[in-house]
Amino acid sequence: MQGALTRYRIIAWIVGVCLLALTFGMVLKYGPADDPTVVETVGQVHGFLYMIYLLATFDLSRRVPWPFKRMLLVMLAGTIPFLSFWAERHVTRHWVPTAAPALIE
């Protein structure tokens, strides 16, 4: 279970940073710079990494028996800027320790 949590935490941060870069790229694309380069590059990377994030979240949710709604909310956290950081912290501090207190030390 500890490995699943570690994988989830790492990919949550990576997806969060990529989403922030993608949001910045959207500002560049539709703002005064009118440059779509960042969106074209980071968008594909974020999409691929988000699929890995979904798999890591699903894996963690099966090891720590979460309700389906909680799993979906954590999965959707990777689509809103800054929310994946909050969700990762919340999962690590609140949801996982209550389900398996001996595994988080």
Side-chain angles (χ1 to χ4, degrees):
M1 204 302 284
Q2 187 65 32
L5 179 62
T6 302
R7 285 188 298 273
Y8 166 76
R9 292 183 74 188
I10 291 169
I11 196 66
W13 273 90
I14 292 171
V15 166
V17 169
C18 281
L19 186 57
L20 290 178
L22 184 58
T23 304
F24 177 70
M26 295 294 283
V27 171
L28 290 178
K29 180 178 180 179
Y30 294 109
D34 195 30
D35 185 18
T37 308
V38 175
V39 173
E40 292 170 354
T41 306
V42 177
Q44 292 181 10
V45 171
H46 173 70
F48 176 74
L49 291 173
Y50 183 68
M51 294 299 138
I52 297 172
Y53 174 80
L54 292 177
L55 291 173
T57 304
F58 180 77
D59 180 39
L60 182 62
S61 72
R62 296 300 98 201
R63 293 172 192 263
V64 179
W66 288 345
F68 185 71
K69 183 179 176 183
R70 181 174 294 160
M71 181 185 69
L72 283 180
L73 290 174
V74 174
M75 286 180 169
L76 288 174
T79 62
I80 300 171
F82 296 106
L83 193 57
S84 68
F85 302 122
W86 179 83
E88 180 272 327
R89 179 57 55 198
H90 196 70
V91 163
T92 303
R93 289 200 176 165
H94 299 289
W95 291 339
V96 173
T98 59
L103 297 174
I104 307 296
E105 300 171 352

